[in-house]
Amino acid sequence: MSSVIPYTVEKRPDTGLNNVKIGIWLFLASEVMLFGALFGGYILLRVGSTEWPHGSDFGLSVPLAFVNTLVLISSSVTMVMAWASLMRKDTRKYKIYMFLTVLGGVGFMVIKSIEYSAKFSHHYYPETHNFLALYFTLTGLHALHVVAGMVVNAYLLWPGFKMWETNPQQFTNRVESAGLFWHFVDLVWIFLFPVLYLL
Amino acid sequence: MSLKAFHILFITVCTVFVAGFGIWAWTQHGLQAEGPHLFLALCGFGLAVALPIYGIWFLKKMKAVSFL
């Protein structure tokens, strides 16, 4: 007996959403709770501390982090352009924009690794200070999310692209979901940057 | 919420952030004349203008796509 999974492409009449859209938003809701808890930890440790260092005390570079912010904002733009290209059935532009998105992720990780190696060379580790514990936890978890997004985007660019031949609408929906995740990851960085580098 | 709506939200948050960053960098430039703060402030203010223009262009381009 064969069974077909319903609402992979068409929307459920009661929710107005298909499976992938409701799935990604449930996942993102759990991610909000995860990062929200860590931000809560940051606030508690900071207000409970008599003295709190500035990021520059540990050599955090604002210009470098600002460049990383620009890289992520640009990659969000290319991500949404990749999705828009698919809706216009322009697969050549889709591949260009998606490649640029993956490249943006690589650029972010390269800059982040430069920053991490500078900290380690100065013997700044998570156990050195509560600020650094929070810095490494928050940016490390965020970096893991960037890597996960890059893996998904690279899959949709190369091996996963064959779905476009058989089910273009479902593939477009997958790219949209990957784009929602990528935007969420970038949005987290927009909050992390001022919290760790500026305030 | 579709990627179109989330992208608009993202660009809005980014605009607020870069404007705030520009003000922060401008303040730092006032406190310490040396360093890249003036350049960073100009970048922040420039992006605070450019991002809403891009957002309006994006909305016009994606007029046919649903917000849901």
Side-chain angles (χ1 to χ4, degrees), chain A residues 1-37:
Chain A
M1 194 179 89
S2 67
S3 61
V4 178
I5 300 171
Y7 311 117
T8 52
V9 173
E10 73 278 17
K11 293 170 182 175
R12 268 182 75 117
D14 52 354
T15 61
L17 302 168
N18 54 36
N19 292 347
V20 68
K21 186 70 75 69
I22 204 155
I24 191 70
W25 277 111
L26 282 172
F27 174 65
L28 292 182
S30 73
E31 291 280 77
V32 168
M33 288 182 252
L34 174 65
F35 280 101

PDB file of all heavy atoms in Angstrom, chain A residues 1-37:
ATOM      1  N   MET A   1       0.838  -1.190   0.000  1.00  0.00           N
ATOM      2  CA  MET A   1       0.000   0.000   0.000  1.00  0.00           C
ATOM      3  C   MET A   1       0.880   1.249   0.000  1.00  0.00           C
ATOM      4  O   MET A   1       1.796   1.366   0.803  1.00  0.00           O
ATOM      5  CB  MET A   1      -0.901  -0.016   1.253  1.00  0.00           C
ATOM      6  CG  MET A   1      -2.035   0.979   1.175  1.00  0.00           C
ATOM      7  SD  MET A   1      -3.078   0.903   2.661  1.00  0.00           S
ATOM      8  CE  MET A   1      -2.260   2.075   3.714  1.00  0.00           C
ATOM      9  N   SER A   2       0.647   2.134  -0.914  1.00  0.00           N
ATOM     10  CA  SER A   2       1.452   3.359  -0.964  1.00  0.00           C
ATOM     11  C   SER A   2       0.670   4.507  -0.353  1.00  0.00           C
ATOM     12  O   SER A   2      -0.553   4.570  -0.457  1.00  0.00           O
ATOM     13  CB  SER A   2       1.814   3.685  -2.407  1.00  0.00           C
ATOM     14  OG  SER A   2       0.649   4.036  -3.117  1.00  0.00           O
ATOM     15  N   SER A   3       1.395   5.402   0.293  1.00  0.00           N
ATOM     16  CA  SER A   3       0.738   6.563   0.884  1.00  0.00           C
ATOM     17  C   SER A   3       1.470   7.825   0.430  1.00  0.00           C
ATOM     18  O   SER A   3       2.686   7.825   0.273  1.00  0.00           O
ATOM     19  CB  SER A   3       0.723   6.461   2.405  1.00  0.00           C
ATOM     20  OG  SER A   3       2.039   6.416   2.869  1.00  0.00           O
ATOM     21  N   VAL A   4       0.721   8.885   0.249  1.00  0.00           N
ATOM     22  CA  VAL A   4       1.302  10.155  -0.182  1.00  0.00           C
ATOM     23  C   VAL A   4       1.204  11.140   0.973  1.00  0.00           C
ATOM     24  O   VAL A   4       0.161  11.271   1.608  1.00  0.00           O
ATOM     25  CB  VAL A   4       0.543  10.701  -1.419  1.00  0.00           C
ATOM     26  CG1 VAL A   4       1.104  12.046  -1.839  1.00  0.00           C
ATOM     27  CG2 VAL A   4       0.606   9.703  -2.558  1.00  0.00           C
ATOM     28  N   ILE A   5       2.322  11.805   1.264  1.00  0.00           N
ATOM     29  CA  ILE A   5       2.313  12.808   2.339  1.00  0.00           C
ATOM     30  C   ILE A   5       1.577  14.048   1.824  1.00  0.00           C
ATOM     31  O   ILE A   5       1.953  14.603   0.789  1.00  0.00           O
ATOM     32  CB  ILE A   5       3.745  13.183   2.763  1.00  0.00           C
ATOM     33  CG1 ILE A   5       4.483  11.947   3.280  1.00  0.00           C
ATOM     34  CG2 ILE A   5       3.735  14.278   3.824  1.00  0.00           C
ATOM     35  CD1 ILE A   5       5.964  12.163   3.523  1.00  0.00           C
ATOM     36  N   PRO A   6       0.528  14.464   2.521  1.00  0.00           N
ATOM     37  CA  PRO A   6      -0.223  15.624   2.033  1.00  0.00           C
ATOM     38  C   PRO A   6       0.455  16.947   2.411  1.00  0.00           C
ATOM     39  O   PRO A   6       1.305  16.984   3.311  1.00  0.00           O
ATOM     40  CB  PRO A   6      -1.566  15.497   2.749  1.00  0.00           C
ATOM     41  CG  PRO A   6      -1.238  14.805   4.022  1.00  0.00           C
ATOM     42  CD  PRO A   6      -0.072  13.901   3.738  1.00  0.00           C
ATOM     43  N   TYR A   7       0.104  17.974   1.717  1.00  0.00           N
ATOM     44  CA  TYR A   7       0.517  19.368   2.015  1.00  0.00           C
ATOM     45  C   TYR A   7       2.030  19.594   1.952  1.00  0.00           C
ATOM     46  O   TYR A   7       2.571  20.374   2.711  1.00  0.00           O
ATOM     47  CB  TYR A   7      -0.032  19.812   3.385  1.00  0.00           C
ATOM     48  CG  TYR A   7      -1.499  19.525   3.545  1.00  0.00           C
ATOM     49  CD1 TYR A   7      -1.945  18.642   4.522  1.00  0.00           C
ATOM     50  CD2 TYR A   7      -2.438  20.119   2.689  1.00  0.00           C
ATOM     51  CE1 TYR A   7      -3.291  18.354   4.650  1.00  0.00           C
ATOM     52  CE2 TYR A   7      -3.786  19.829   2.811  1.00  0.00           C
ATOM     53  CZ  TYR A   7      -4.215  18.945   3.790  1.00  0.00           C
ATOM     54  OH  TYR A   7      -5.542  18.648   3.915  1.00  0.00           O
ATOM     55  N   THR A   8       2.710  18.847   1.065  1.00  0.00           N
ATOM     56  CA  THR A   8       4.135  19.131   0.864  1.00  0.00           C
ATOM     57  C   THR A   8       4.298  20.389   0.005  1.00  0.00           C
ATOM     58  O   THR A   8       5.298  21.097   0.121  1.00  0.00           O
ATOM     59  CB  THR A   8       4.856  17.958   0.182  1.00  0.00           C
ATOM     60  OG1 THR A   8       4.131  17.624  -1.001  1.00  0.00           O
ATOM     61  CG2 THR A   8       4.952  16.760   1.094  1.00  0.00           C
ATOM     62  N   VAL A   9       3.310  20.639  -0.849  1.00  0.00           N
ATOM     63  CA  VAL A   9       3.357  21.821  -1.717  1.00  0.00           C
ATOM     64  C   VAL A   9       2.146  22.717  -1.465  1.00  0.00           C
ATOM     65  O   VAL A   9       2.280  23.896  -1.158  1.00  0.00           O
ATOM     66  CB  VAL A   9       3.418  21.416  -3.202  1.00  0.00           C
ATOM     67  CG1 VAL A   9       3.303  22.641  -4.097  1.00  0.00           C
ATOM     68  CG2 VAL A   9       4.709  20.669  -3.499  1.00  0.00           C
ATOM     69  N   GLU A  10       0.958  22.114  -1.560  1.00  0.00           N
ATOM     70  CA  GLU A  10      -0.262  22.914  -1.364  1.00  0.00           C
ATOM     71  C   GLU A  10      -0.467  23.243   0.118  1.00  0.00           C
ATOM     72  O   GLU A  10       0.071  22.544   0.993  1.00  0.00           O
ATOM     73  CB  GLU A  10      -1.494  22.181  -1.938  1.00  0.00           C
ATOM     74  CG  GLU A  10      -1.984  20.990  -1.139  1.00  0.00           C
ATOM     75  CD  GLU A  10      -1.218  19.704  -1.400  1.00  0.00           C
ATOM     76  OE1 GLU A  10      -0.104  19.754  -1.952  1.00  0.00           O
ATOM     77  OE2 GLU A  10      -1.716  18.641  -1.007  1.00  0.00           O
ATOM     78  N   LYS A  11      -1.208  24.309   0.381  1.00  0.00           N
ATOM     79  CA  LYS A  11      -1.402  24.751   1.761  1.00  0.00           C
ATOM     80  C   LYS A  11      -2.558  23.997   2.419  1.00  0.00           C
ATOM     81  O   LYS A  11      -3.557  23.707   1.761  1.00  0.00           O
ATOM     82  CB  LYS A  11      -1.685  26.253   1.787  1.00  0.00           C
ATOM     83  CG  LYS A  11      -0.489  27.081   1.344  1.00  0.00           C
ATOM     84  CD  LYS A  11      -0.869  28.521   1.149  1.00  0.00           C
ATOM     85  CE  LYS A  11       0.335  29.320   0.668  1.00  0.00           C
ATOM     86  NZ  LYS A  11       0.031  30.702   0.337  1.00  0.00           N
ATOM     87  N   ARG A  12      -2.401  23.735   3.721  1.00  0.00           N
ATOM     88  CA  ARG A  12      -3.519  23.152   4.478  1.00  0.00           C
ATOM     89  C   ARG A  12      -4.617  24.196   4.563  1.00  0.00           C
ATOM     90  O   ARG A  12      -4.335  25.365   4.883  1.00  0.00           O
ATOM     91  CB  ARG A  12      -3.064  22.806   5.911  1.00  0.00           C
ATOM     92  CG  ARG A  12      -2.544  21.408   6.091  1.00  0.00           C
ATOM     93  CD  ARG A  12      -2.190  21.214   7.545  1.00  0.00           C
ATOM     94  NE  ARG A  12      -3.400  21.052   8.346  1.00  0.00           N
ATOM     95  CZ  ARG A  12      -3.691  19.941   9.027  1.00  0.00           C
ATOM     96  NH1 ARG A  12      -2.849  18.930   9.006  1.00  0.00           N
ATOM     97  NH2 ARG A  12      -4.796  19.862   9.730  1.00  0.00           N
ATOM     98  N   PRO A  13      -5.862  23.804   4.355  1.00  0.00           N
ATOM     99  CA  PRO A  13      -6.936  24.810   4.391  1.00  0.00           C
ATOM    100  C   PRO A  13      -7.102  25.472   5.760  1.00  0.00           C
ATOM    101  O   PRO A  13      -7.418  26.647   5.850  1.00  0.00           O
ATOM    102  CB  PRO A  13      -8.192  24.008   4.041  1.00  0.00           C
ATOM    103  CG  PRO A  13      -7.722  22.725   3.491  1.00  0.00           C
ATOM    104  CD  PRO A  13      -6.359  22.476   4.003  1.00  0.00           C
ATOM    105  N   ASP A  14      -6.852  24.685   6.852  1.00  0.00           N
ATOM    106  CA  ASP A  14      -7.095  25.263   8.190  1.00  0.00           C
ATOM    107  C   ASP A  14      -5.975  26.195   8.653  1.00  0.00           C
ATOM    108  O   ASP A  14      -6.226  27.187   9.319  1.00  0.00           O
ATOM    109  CB  ASP A  14      -7.334  24.144   9.224  1.00  0.00           C
ATOM    110  CG  ASP A  14      -6.252  23.090   9.208  1.00  0.00           C
ATOM    111  OD1 ASP A  14      -5.374  23.154   8.323  1.00  0.00           O
ATOM    112  OD2 ASP A  14      -6.272  22.207  10.084  1.00  0.00           O
ATOM    113  N   THR A  15      -4.709  25.872   8.296  1.00  0.00           N
ATOM    114  CA  THR A  15      -3.601  26.736   8.750  1.00  0.00           C
ATOM    115  C   THR A  15      -3.172  27.737   7.680  1.00  0.00           C
ATOM    116  O   THR A  15      -2.550  28.751   7.997  1.00  0.00           O
ATOM    117  CB  THR A  15      -2.369  25.891   9.130  1.00  0.00           C
ATOM    118  OG1 THR A  15      -1.934  25.175   7.965  1.00  0.00           O
ATOM    119  CG2 THR A  15      -2.668  24.928  10.256  1.00  0.00           C
ATOM    120  N   GLY A  16      -3.448  27.420   6.432  1.00  0.00           N
ATOM    121  CA  GLY A  16      -2.980  28.275   5.334  1.00  0.00           C
ATOM    122  C   GLY A  16      -1.493  28.109   5.066  1.00  0.00           C
ATOM    123  O   GLY A  16      -0.890  28.932   4.369  1.00  0.00           O
ATOM    124  N   LEU A  17      -0.904  27.051   5.631  1.00  0.00           N
ATOM    125  CA  LEU A  17       0.539  26.815   5.476  1.00  0.00           C
ATOM    126  C   LEU A  17       0.790  25.395   4.998  1.00  0.00           C
ATOM    127  O   LEU A  17       0.010  24.488   5.303  1.00  0.00           O
ATOM    128  CB  LEU A  17       1.265  27.017   6.811  1.00  0.00           C
ATOM    129  CG  LEU A  17       1.134  28.385   7.483  1.00  0.00           C
ATOM    130  CD1 LEU A  17       1.650  28.311   8.909  1.00  0.00           C
ATOM    131  CD2 LEU A  17       1.900  29.440   6.700  1.00  0.00           C
ATOM    132  N   ASN A  18       1.891  25.195   4.273  1.00  0.00           N
ATOM    133  CA  ASN A  18       2.273  23.822   3.932  1.00  0.00           C
ATOM    134  C   ASN A  18       3.217  23.273   5.009  1.00  0.00           C
ATOM    135  O   ASN A  18       3.608  23.999   5.933  1.00  0.00           O
ATOM    136  CB  ASN A  18       2.883  23.753   2.528  1.00  0.00           C
ATOM    137  CG  ASN A  18       4.039  24.709   2.356  1.00  0.00           C
ATOM    138  OD1 ASN A  18       4.798  24.923   3.300  1.00  0.00           O
ATOM    139  ND2 ASN A  18       4.164  25.308   1.184  1.00  0.00           N
ATOM    140  N   ASN A  19       3.582  21.985   4.863  1.00  0.00           N
ATOM    141  CA  ASN A  19       4.371  21.313   5.917  1.00  0.00           C
ATOM    142  C   ASN A  19       5.697  22.008   6.201  1.00  0.00           C
ATOM    143  O   ASN A  19       6.065  22.221   7.365  1.00  0.00           O
ATOM    144  CB  ASN A  19       4.678  19.862   5.493  1.00  0.00           C
ATOM    145  CG  ASN A  19       3.433  19.012   5.452  1.00  0.00           C
ATOM    146  OD1 ASN A  19       2.395  19.408   5.958  1.00  0.00           O
ATOM    147  ND2 ASN A  19       3.525  17.841   4.831  1.00  0.00           N
ATOM    148  N   VAL A  20       6.407  22.367   5.130  1.00  0.00           N
ATOM    149  CA  VAL A  20       7.760  22.906   5.322  1.00  0.00           C
ATOM    150  C   VAL A  20       7.711  24.262   6.014  1.00  0.00           C
ATOM    151  O   VAL A  20       8.560  24.564   6.867  1.00  0.00           O
ATOM    152  CB  VAL A  20       8.520  22.959   3.971  1.00  0.00           C
ATOM    153  CG1 VAL A  20       7.923  23.980   3.020  1.00  0.00           C
ATOM    154  CG2 VAL A  20       9.989  23.247   4.194  1.00  0.00           C
ATOM    155  N   LYS A  21       6.672  25.066   5.711  1.00  0.00           N
ATOM    156  CA  LYS A  21       6.579  26.402   6.316  1.00  0.00           C
ATOM    157  C   LYS A  21       6.286  26.282   7.822  1.00  0.00           C
ATOM    158  O   LYS A  21       6.922  26.955   8.634  1.00  0.00           O
ATOM    159  CB  LYS A  21       5.485  27.196   5.600  1.00  0.00           C
ATOM    160  CG  LYS A  21       5.347  28.653   6.010  1.00  0.00           C
ATOM    161  CD  LYS A  21       6.490  29.524   5.579  1.00  0.00           C
ATOM    162  CE  LYS A  21       6.499  29.859   4.103  1.00  0.00           C
ATOM    163  NZ  LYS A  21       5.451  30.721   3.630  1.00  0.00           N
ATOM    164  N   ILE A  22       5.338  25.423   8.175  1.00  0.00           N
ATOM    165  CA  ILE A  22       5.009  25.293   9.601  1.00  0.00           C
ATOM    166  C   ILE A  22       6.164  24.626  10.352  1.00  0.00           C
ATOM    167  O   ILE A  22       6.465  24.971  11.502  1.00  0.00           O
ATOM    168  CB  ILE A  22       3.664  24.551   9.804  1.00  0.00           C
ATOM    169  CG1 ILE A  22       3.060  24.943  11.152  1.00  0.00           C
ATOM    170  CG2 ILE A  22       3.786  23.047   9.728  1.00  0.00           C
ATOM    171  CD1 ILE A  22       1.561  24.802  11.218  1.00  0.00           C
ATOM    172  N   GLY A  23       6.854  23.694   9.674  1.00  0.00           N
ATOM    173  CA  GLY A  23       7.984  23.008  10.304  1.00  0.00           C
ATOM    174  C   GLY A  23       9.127  23.968  10.616  1.00  0.00           C
ATOM    175  O   GLY A  23       9.670  23.965  11.730  1.00  0.00           O
ATOM    176  N   ILE A  24       9.484  24.809   9.658  1.00  0.00           N
ATOM    177  CA  ILE A  24      10.615  25.716   9.871  1.00  0.00           C
ATOM    178  C   ILE A  24      10.279  26.757  10.940  1.00  0.00           C
ATOM    179  O   ILE A  24      11.131  27.108  11.763  1.00  0.00           O
ATOM    180  CB  ILE A  24      11.085  26.379   8.549  1.00  0.00           C
ATOM    181  CG1 ILE A  24      12.423  27.118   8.739  1.00  0.00           C
ATOM    182  CG2 ILE A  24      10.059  27.378   8.010  1.00  0.00           C
ATOM    183  CD1 ILE A  24      13.602  26.241   8.953  1.00  0.00           C
ATOM    184  N   TRP A  25       9.017  27.201  10.991  1.00  0.00           N
ATOM    185  CA  TRP A  25       8.673  28.211  12.010  1.00  0.00           C
ATOM    186  C   TRP A  25       8.634  27.620  13.420  1.00  0.00           C
ATOM    187  O   TRP A  25       9.005  28.287  14.382  1.00  0.00           O
ATOM    188  CB  TRP A  25       7.369  28.928  11.661  1.00  0.00           C
ATOM    189  CG  TRP A  25       7.627  30.045  10.697  1.00  0.00           C
ATOM    190  CD1 TRP A  25       7.252  30.103   9.386  1.00  0.00           C
ATOM    191  CD2 TRP A  25       8.362  31.257  10.954  1.00  0.00           C
ATOM    192  NE1 TRP A  25       7.702  31.258   8.802  1.00  0.00           N
ATOM    193  CE2 TRP A  25       8.383  31.991   9.735  1.00  0.00           C
ATOM    194  CE3 TRP A  25       8.998  31.786  12.057  1.00  0.00           C
ATOM    195  CZ2 TRP A  25       9.017  33.224   9.614  1.00  0.00           C
ATOM    196  CZ3 TRP A  25       9.642  33.013  11.946  1.00  0.00           C
ATOM    197  CH2 TRP A  25       9.639  33.719  10.743  1.00  0.00           C
ATOM    198  N   LEU A  26       8.210  26.344  13.517  1.00  0.00           N
ATOM    199  CA  LEU A  26       8.272  25.674  14.830  1.00  0.00           C
ATOM    200  C   LEU A  26       9.728  25.540  15.273  1.00  0.00           C
ATOM    201  O   LEU A  26      10.075  25.756  16.438  1.00  0.00           O
ATOM    202  CB  LEU A  26       7.609  24.298  14.768  1.00  0.00           C
ATOM    203  CG  LEU A  26       6.075  24.295  14.792  1.00  0.00           C
ATOM    204  CD1 LEU A  26       5.539  22.892  14.539  1.00  0.00           C
ATOM    205  CD2 LEU A  26       5.553  24.809  16.131  1.00  0.00           C
ATOM    206  N   PHE A  27      10.585  25.180  14.323  1.00  0.00           N
ATOM    207  CA  PHE A  27      12.014  25.046  14.626  1.00  0.00           C
ATOM    208  C   PHE A  27      12.611  26.395  15.040  1.00  0.00           C
ATOM    209  O   PHE A  27      13.351  26.492  16.025  1.00  0.00           O
ATOM    210  CB  PHE A  27      12.748  24.485  13.406  1.00  0.00           C
ATOM    211  CG  PHE A  27      14.236  24.445  13.561  1.00  0.00           C
ATOM    212  CD1 PHE A  27      14.829  23.634  14.515  1.00  0.00           C
ATOM    213  CD2 PHE A  27      15.057  25.222  12.763  1.00  0.00           C
ATOM    214  CE1 PHE A  27      16.198  23.605  14.675  1.00  0.00           C
ATOM    215  CE2 PHE A  27      16.425  25.203  12.909  1.00  0.00           C
ATOM    216  CZ  PHE A  27      17.000  24.391  13.861  1.00  0.00           C
ATOM    217  N   LEU A  28      12.263  27.455  14.291  1.00  0.00           N
ATOM    218  CA  LEU A  28      12.790  28.780  14.626  1.00  0.00           C
ATOM    219  C   LEU A  28      12.288  29.252  15.994  1.00  0.00           C
ATOM    220  O   LEU A  28      13.013  29.945  16.723  1.00  0.00           O
ATOM    221  CB  LEU A  28      12.439  29.802  13.535  1.00  0.00           C
ATOM    222  CG  LEU A  28      13.138  29.603  12.182  1.00  0.00           C
ATOM    223  CD1 LEU A  28      12.749  30.701  11.213  1.00  0.00           C
ATOM    224  CD2 LEU A  28      14.650  29.547  12.327  1.00  0.00           C
ATOM    225  N   ALA A  29      11.062  28.858  16.352  1.00  0.00           N
ATOM    226  CA  ALA A  29      10.535  29.209  17.685  1.00  0.00           C
ATOM    227  C   ALA A  29      11.396  28.578  18.772  1.00  0.00           C
ATOM    228  O   ALA A  29      11.695  29.208  19.800  1.00  0.00           O
ATOM    229  CB  ALA A  29       9.083  28.753  17.811  1.00  0.00           C
ATOM    230  N   SER A  30      11.828  27.321  18.543  1.00  0.00           N
ATOM    231  CA  SER A  30      12.694  26.658  19.525  1.00  0.00           C
ATOM    232  C   SER A  30      14.064  27.341  19.572  1.00  0.00           C
ATOM    233  O   SER A  30      14.698  27.427  20.634  1.00  0.00           O
ATOM    234  CB  SER A  30      12.840  25.170  19.205  1.00  0.00           C
ATOM    235  OG  SER A  30      13.676  24.984  18.077  1.00  0.00           O
ATOM    236  N   GLU A  31      14.512  27.839  18.435  1.00  0.00           N
ATOM    237  CA  GLU A  31      15.798  28.547  18.380  1.00  0.00           C
ATOM    238  C   GLU A  31      15.737  29.873  19.146  1.00  0.00           C
ATOM    239  O   GLU A  31      16.705  30.278  19.790  1.00  0.00           O
ATOM    240  CB  GLU A  31      16.180  28.822  16.917  1.00  0.00           C
ATOM    241  CG  GLU A  31      16.528  27.584  16.132  1.00  0.00           C
ATOM    242  CD  GLU A  31      17.935  27.117  16.414  1.00  0.00           C
ATOM    243  OE1 GLU A  31      18.134  26.521  17.489  1.00  0.00           O
ATOM    244  OE2 GLU A  31      18.825  27.336  15.599  1.00  0.00           O
ATOM    245  N   VAL A  32      14.592  30.539  19.057  1.00  0.00           N
ATOM    246  CA  VAL A  32      14.403  31.792  19.805  1.00  0.00           C
ATOM    247  C   VAL A  32      14.537  31.510  21.296  1.00  0.00           C
ATOM    248  O   VAL A  32      15.171  32.275  22.038  1.00  0.00           O
ATOM    249  CB  VAL A  32      13.025  32.422  19.476  1.00  0.00           C
ATOM    250  CG1 VAL A  32      12.697  33.553  20.445  1.00  0.00           C
ATOM    251  CG2 VAL A  32      12.995  32.950  18.046  1.00  0.00           C
ATOM    252  N   MET A  33      13.966  30.383  21.733  1.00  0.00           N
ATOM    253  CA  MET A  33      14.049  30.016  23.153  1.00  0.00           C
ATOM    254  C   MET A  33      15.493  29.717  23.558  1.00  0.00           C
ATOM    255  O   MET A  33      15.939  30.095  24.647  1.00  0.00           O
ATOM    256  CB  MET A  33      13.152  28.819  23.449  1.00  0.00           C
ATOM    257  CG  MET A  33      11.675  29.163  23.414  1.00  0.00           C
ATOM    258  SD  MET A  33      10.655  27.769  23.831  1.00  0.00           S
ATOM    259  CE  MET A  33       9.959  27.365  22.255  1.00  0.00           C
ATOM    260  N   LEU A  34      16.224  29.024  22.687  1.00  0.00           N
ATOM    261  CA  LEU A  34      17.626  28.684  22.963  1.00  0.00           C
ATOM    262  C   LEU A  34      18.475  29.947  23.111  1.00  0.00           C
ATOM    263  O   LEU A  34      19.149  30.147  24.140  1.00  0.00           O
ATOM    264  CB  LEU A  34      18.173  27.810  21.829  1.00  0.00           C
ATOM    265  CG  LEU A  34      19.668  27.483  21.868  1.00  0.00           C
ATOM    266  CD1 LEU A  34      20.005  26.640  23.082  1.00  0.00           C
ATOM    267  CD2 LEU A  34      20.092  26.768  20.597  1.00  0.00           C
ATOM    268  N   PHE A  35      18.434  30.806  22.121  1.00  0.00           N
ATOM    269  CA  PHE A  35      19.239  32.031  22.187  1.00  0.00           C
ATOM    270  C   PHE A  35      18.692  32.994  23.248  1.00  0.00           C
ATOM    271  O   PHE A  35      19.469  33.717  23.885  1.00  0.00           O
ATOM    272  CB  PHE A  35      19.304  32.711  20.819  1.00  0.00           C
ATOM    273  CG  PHE A  35      20.323  32.085  19.893  1.00  0.00           C
ATOM    274  CD1 PHE A  35      19.927  31.217  18.893  1.00  0.00           C
ATOM    275  CD2 PHE A  35      21.672  32.354  20.044  1.00  0.00           C
ATOM    276  CE1 PHE A  35      20.859  30.631  18.047  1.00  0.00           C
ATOM    277  CE2 PHE A  35      22.616  31.773  19.209  1.00  0.00           C
ATOM    278  CZ  PHE A  35      22.210  30.907  18.203  1.00  0.00           C
ATOM    279  N   GLY A  36      17.370  32.981  23.430  1.00  0.00           N
ATOM    280  CA  GLY A  36      16.759  33.831  24.461  1.00  0.00           C
ATOM    281  C   GLY A  36      17.269  33.464  25.840  1.00  0.00           C
ATOM    282  O   GLY A  36      17.564  34.345  26.664  1.00  0.00           O
ATOM    283  N   ALA A  37      17.421  32.157  26.094  1.00  0.00           N
ATOM    284  CA  ALA A  37      17.931  31.706  27.395  1.00  0.00           C
ATOM    285  C   ALA A  37      19.369  32.174  27.592  1.00  0.00           C
ATOM    286  O   ALA A  37      19.756  32.606  28.692  1.00  0.00           O
ATOM    287  CB  ALA A  37      17.854  30.185  27.481  1.00  0.00           C
TER     288      ALA A  37
END
